[in-house]
């Protein structure tokens, strides 16, 4: 019997890729949580504020340099990965385009640095952090993801993050160590990109340097640019509407309300990262199936992905709706109790974002309909903007949370409308009953823990144990496909394909 993520004639296991990418995502969120309490106390608010400000400035120029290529490159390379010559040419052309965009970003950066007094004040720090722009281009991570090298990506990233973590505690001792911490942050984020470039000849037999002539591939580069610009616009729109609530809250309310909202969003961000880890590893596989006309394989893959999103999003949403106060107190402290209401409002977005990530990045993008994703995300940004203007002055951080929930709902509705004819064969393969009933059973079993009034840590530990053990037991009893596969794999003599 075929496995839950059975694949053939492709590099790597999709299940392993998903687990590796989820580990990578969680580590990317976890390491800052570990270092923040130490660094913020050593550098003090002024020093840490300088780092945050400079990193925010550089992020916009990095986005310009990347030009949507991190997503477009995956789709373009995944579809031709079985043709070495065509893959090599595609990589070469996209890399030249990326270099041109990077040169443009640096031109804009140096112009802004010279023309803006506020940026000129932080010239040494900004110049140091600007290395991330070039190293991000040099790393060509889109190629590694297109070829599904997720084990390599994750292990490499974990190694450099661990070294940076050790360096932070060993070397950062004074509020004057701002530049040193900036260097460590570059090492954590971008040193692996240098390793990517050095490893490239082993991954892909690229032509000699003379083969990288941009003149000969100018027409193809223009075609890549035309497609990449749509992904760039998507990136801009997504960046705007995911950061808009915090920015508008700062302008229309108070810094205290921003603090409450940040605490609520922090938990949501970690959980969304876990759920959308699946999407990142599905894009190259879905692109391959789409561009090679393997429609049944694509429907099977997407149906299983839909089911896995339900398996993850439904229990996480229910659990953190119930135990939002304990989660906030444990991570941020009792002073952040007002963050409980916005956190509860934001929890349904776990499912909404999981579904829109599946429909947008695994269905529309591989089919060449990235403009539809752009329209949906732009609509979400407009909904967020209007509701923030109306609700934040009256309801502060709660209003911002409502705006975000409405924006994600708008994106889902638009993408569902666009894909209404394509969703039927995929939804038919999904299974709603086990995750839904399992979530209800687990919620019922762990709810009495609220009545014990335990300290936050013990309440979370006990309730999580009861909730997820009950949930797993329910999945087995209800014969969920994934639970059945796990059972089959643990029984000797069964087919492990």
């Amino acid at each position: 019997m075929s496995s839950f993520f059975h694949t053939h004639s492709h590099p790597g296991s999709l299940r392993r890729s998903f687990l590796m990418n989820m580990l990578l995502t969680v580590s990317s969120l976890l390491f800052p949580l570990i270092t923040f309490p130490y660094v913020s106390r050593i550098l003090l608010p002024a020093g840490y504020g300088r780092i945050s400000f400079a990193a925010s400035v550089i992020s916009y120029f990095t986005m310009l340099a990347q030009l949507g290529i991190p997503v477009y490159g995956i789709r373009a390379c995944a579809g031709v990965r079985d043709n070495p010559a065509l893959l090599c040419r595609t990589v070469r052309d996209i890399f030249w385009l990326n270099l041109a965009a990077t040169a443009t970003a640096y031109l804009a950066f140096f112009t802004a640095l010279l023309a803006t007094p506020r940026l000129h004040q932080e010239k040494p720090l900004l110049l140091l952090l600007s290395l991330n722009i070039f190293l991000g281009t040099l790393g060509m991570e889109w190629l590694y993801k297109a070829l599904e090298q997720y084990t390599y990506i994750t292990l490499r990233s974990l190694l450099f993050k661990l070294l940076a973590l050790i360096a932070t505690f060993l070397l950062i001792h004074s509020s004057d160590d701002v530049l040193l911490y900036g260097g460590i942050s570059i090492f954590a984020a971008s040193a692996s990109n240098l390793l990517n470039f050095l490893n490239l000849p082993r991954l892909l037999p690229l032509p000699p340097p003379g083969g990288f002539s941009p003149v000969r591939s100018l027409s193809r580069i223009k075609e890549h640019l035309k497609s990449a610009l749509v992904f760039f616009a998507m990136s801009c729109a997504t960046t705007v509407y995911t950061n808009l609530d915090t920015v508008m809250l700062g302008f229309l309310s108070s810094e205290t309300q921003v603090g409450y909202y940040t605490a609520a969003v922090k938990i949501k961000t970690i959980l969304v990262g876990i759920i959308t880890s699946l999407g990142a590893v599905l894009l190259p596989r879905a692109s391959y199936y789409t561009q090679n006309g393997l429609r049944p394989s694509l429907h099977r893959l997407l149906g299983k992905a839909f089911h896995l999103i339900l398996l993850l999003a439904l229990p996480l949403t229910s659990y953190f709706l119930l135990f939002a106060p304990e989660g906030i107190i444990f991570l941020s402290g009792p002073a952040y109790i007002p963050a409980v209401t916005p956190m509860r409002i934001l929890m349904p977005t776990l499912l909404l974002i999981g579904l829109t990530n599946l429909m947008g990045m695994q269905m529309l993008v591989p089919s060449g309909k990235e403009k539809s994703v752009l329209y949906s995300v732009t609509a979400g940004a407009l909904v967020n903007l209007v509701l923030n203007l109306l609700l934040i002055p009256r309801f502060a951080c709660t209003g911002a949370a409502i705006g975000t929930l409405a924006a994600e709902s708008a994106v889902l509705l638009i993408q569902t409308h666009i894909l209404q004819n394509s969703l039927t064969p995929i939804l038919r393969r999904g299974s709603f009953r086990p995750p839904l009933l399992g979530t209800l059973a687990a919620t019922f079993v762990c709810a009495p823990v609220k009545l014990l009034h335990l300290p936050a840590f013990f309440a979370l530990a006990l309730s999580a144990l009861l909730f997820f053990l009950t949930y797993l037991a329910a999945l087995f009893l209800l014969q969920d496909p994934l639970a059945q596969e796990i059972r089959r794999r643990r029984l000797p003599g069964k087919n492990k394909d």
Side-chain angles (χ1 to χ4, degrees):
M1 196 168 183
S2 64
S3 68
F4 189 77
F5 274 144
H6 175 68
T7 56
H8 50 82
S9 71
H10 299 295
S13 161
L14 194 58
R15 182 187 292 104
R16 183 174 67 248
S17 295
F18 166 57
L19 293 175
M20 286 290 118
N21 195 57
M22 185 170 69
L23 178 61
L24 177 64
T25 303
V26 171
S27 70
S28 298
L29 298 167
L30 192 60
F31 277 98
L33 287 178
I34 295 172
T35 58
F36 174 74
Y38 175 77
V39 173
S40 60
R41 285 168 174 78
I42 297 297
L43 297 184
L44 302 178
Y48 198 81
R50 288 176 60 197
I51 288 285
S52 299
F53 172 74
S56 297
V57 170
I58 293 299
S59 68
Y60 288 101
F61 295 101
T62 302
M63 184 172 64
L64 175 60
Q66 293 302 300
L67 201 69
I69 288 172
V71 177
Y72 171 71
I74 296 174
R75 190 191 73 176
C77 293
V80 298
R81 66 186 181 192
D82 286 345
N83 185 331
L86 188 55
L87 175 62
C88 192
R89 191 181 74 181
T90 302
V91 171
R92 179 191 64 197
D93 294 341
I94 294 176
F95 183 63
W96 271 116
L97 175 60
N98 209 168
L99 283 178
T102 301
T104 303
Y106 269 112
L107 180 62
F109 168 67
F110 288 125
T111 302
L113 192 62
L114 294 173
T116 310
R118 177 67 182 91
L119 297 184
H120 195 72
Q121 292 175 8
E122 297 293 349
K123 181 179 176 181
L125 183 57
L126 285 167
L127 287 173
L128 176 64
L129 293 184
S130 72
L131 286 172
N132 280 329
I133 302 174
F134 175 68
L135 291 174
T137 299
L138 199 66
M140 302 169 68
E141 189 133 319
W142 40 271
L143 172 61
Y144 285 83
K145 290 182 177 179
L147 300 179
E148 300 187 39
Q149 300 287 312
Y150 285 99
T151 300
Y152 163 77
I153 292 172
T154 300
L155 295 179
R156 171 219 65 187
S157 179
L158 287 175
L159 172 63
F160 285 112
K161 282 184 171 63
L162 181 60
L163 292 175
L165 180 68
I166 295 170
T168 297
F169 289 111
L170 289 179
L171 301 178
I172 305 302
H173 302 299
S174 163
S175 59
D176 296 326
D177 292 335
V178 172
L179 279 176
L180 181 57
Y181 182 68
I184 292 173
S185 69
I186 290 174
F187 180 82
S190 299
S192 55
N193 289 323
L194 183 59
L195 186 62
N196 279 5
F197 190 76
L198 295 175
N199 186 60
L200 197 58
R202 300 176 61 184
L203 185 69
L204 188 70
L206 293 174
F212 280 96
S213 171
V215 176
R216 292 203 301 266
S217 39
L218 184 59
S219 62
R220 294 193 302 271
I221 289 175
K222 287 181 179 178
E223 287 300 313
H224 288 304
L225 174 62
K226 184 179 178 181
S227 298
L229 283 175
V230 178
F231 289 94
F232 176 62
M234 285 167 49
S235 176
C236 291
T238 303
T239 299
V240 166
Y241 99 78
T242 53
N243 293 307
L244 193 62
D245 40 15
T246 302
V247 173
M248 293 184 70
L249 196 57
F251 277 104
L252 300 176
S253 188
S254 66
E255 292 180 353
T256 302
Q257 290 295 320
V258 174
Y260 294 150
Y261 190 71
T262 302
V265 169
K266 185 186 300 182
I267 295 175
K268 185 209 82 169
T269 301
I270 295 173
L271 298 176
V272 165
I274 294 172
I275 294 168
T276 57
S277 294
L278 175 66
V281 302
L282 283 184
L283 178 56
R285 192 68 59 92
S287 297
Y288 179 90
Y289 286 153
T290 300
Q291 295 186 34
N292 288 276
L294 302 173
R295 186 69 58 182
S297 296
L298 178 65
H299 288 165
R300 183 167 58 250
L301 177 72
L302 295 175
K304 292 172 180 178
F306 173 76
H307 180 66
L308 188 56
I309 288 171
L310 293 181
L311 281 175
L312 293 172
L314 288 178
L316 289 174
T317 298
S318 179
Y319 178 80
F320 282 98
L321 276 171
L322 186 60
F323 288 92
E326 291 79 5
I328 289 292
I329 291 172
F330 176 67
L331 280 181
S332 304
Y336 287 82
I337 281 295
V340 170
T341 297
M343 178 180 164
R344 281 176 165 157
I345 293 171
L346 290 171
M347 280 302 103
T349 64
L350 300 184
L351 180 60
L352 299 179
I353 294 173
L355 293 176
T356 54
N357 184 266
L358 174 67
M359 291 190 291
M361 301 309 294
Q362 278 64 252
M363 295 180 68
L364 291 170
V365 168
S367 302
K369 298 178 180 178
E370 54 269 12
K371 287 185 179 179
S372 297
V373 182
L374 174 59
Y375 298 149
S376 67
V377 173
T378 302
L382 291 174
V383 169
N384 203 15
L385 173 63
V386 172
L387 288 182
N388 282 346
L389 287 171
L390 294 174
L391 298 177
I392 287 178
R394 183 173 180 181
F395 300 107
C397 61
T398 299
I402 294 172
T404 297
L405 178 61
E408 298 295 354
S409 300
V411 175
L412 178 65
L413 288 173
I414 292 171
Q415 291 186 1
T416 301
H417 176 72
I418 294 170
L419 288 167
Q420 55 184 322
N421 295 327
S422 304
L423 287 174
T424 303
I426 294 165
L427 296 179
R428 192 182 297 124
R429 292 178 179 274
S431 179
F432 295 86
R433 186 168 168 267
L436 181 59
L437 294 180
T439 297
L440 292 174
T443 303
F444 177 78
V445 168
C446 79
V449 175
K450 298 281 290 184
L451 303 176
L452 300 178
H453 302 292
L454 298 172
F457 173 78
F458 294 105
L460 289 173
L462 178 58
S463 61
L465 181 66
L466 290 173
F467 185 97
F468 291 103
L469 283 178
T470 303
Y471 182 64
L472 289 174
L475 293 182
F476 280 104
L477 289 173
L478 295 167
Q479 298 185 328
D480 178 81
L482 180 58
Q484 285 183 307
E485 182 189 339
I486 293 173
R487 180 178 58 82
R488 283 197 305 271
R489 285 172 173 267
R490 297 188 63 180
L491 289 176
K494 295 289 184 182
N495 182 8
K496 295 185 180 183
D497 181 20

